[in-house]
Structure formats: structure tokens, C-alpha cells
Amino acid sequence: MPIATGMAVYFIFWWLTLFTVLPIGLRTQADEDDVTLGTVPSAPHKHRMGRVFLITTIISALIFAVFYIVNEKLGYGVNNLPVLYPRLD
């Protein structure tokens, strides 16, 4: 796999993982009964983006490692998926 392709695949994994990790452990201002004037009650109480980025990076690195092993070392790819529709060849 070329470096640019690997980086693109990793970025896609990272981006999808970010939106999965983002709501985990989130405490809103309404949950804390401390709504700042001019903000919505569902806004986060404390910003924790550094922690979210770190967790996202670790999880996406693990997902990419599994993808790399299965794709490059074991030789499985998209063409090895079972076909669920009849071929019209």
C-alpha cells in the first residue's frame, strides 16, 4: 500500500472514530445545572478535546493496524467479499 493511500485510509478511520468517541462521557451544561447565558443547555460543560483526540488516535491506529494486517499481510481485500447478488456476466 502506498504511503498516500495508507494516510488517506487512516484519516478516514480517524474521522469516523472521532464522531464515535465524541459523545462518550459528555456532560452537558444542563446535566451540571450550570447553563451559561447565551448558550444552549446541551452545550458541553467542560471542553475535553485533547483527551478526545488522543483516544481517537489510539483507537483508529488499532483499527488501521487490523486493516493493514488483513489487507496487506493476509491478502484479503474487497474482491474477497461474498457476492450477495447474481452476477450478470
Side-chain angles (χ1 to χ4, degrees):
M1 174 183 324
I3 297 291
T5 304
M7 289 174 58
V9 170
Y10 178 78
F11 177 74
I12 292 169
F13 288 153
W14 190 90
W15 194 254
L16 293 173
T17 306
L18 173 67
F19 289 108
T20 305
V21 170
L22 213 66
I24 296 174
L26 178 69
R27 299 286 300 169
T28 64
Q29 292 180 13
D31 292 339
E32 299 292 327
D33 291 329
D34 185 25
V35 179
T36 304
L37 186 63
T39 63
V40 293
S42 60
H45 179 65
K46 291 184 179 179
H47 300 286
R48 53 183 184 85
M49 292 309 294
R51 187 177 78 162
V52 169
F53 286 164
L54 178 65
I55 293 171
T56 300
T57 302
I58 292 170
I59 292 173
S60 60
L62 293 173
I63 293 170
F64 181 77
V66 169
F67 169 77
Y68 182 81
I69 291 169
V70 168
N71 192 23
E72 293 295 318
K73 301 300 180 188
L74 300 178
Y76 292 107
V78 176
N79 294 332
N80 298 106
L81 294 174
V83 178
L84 301 176
Y85 55 89
R87 293 186 187 233
L88 303 173
D89 294 336

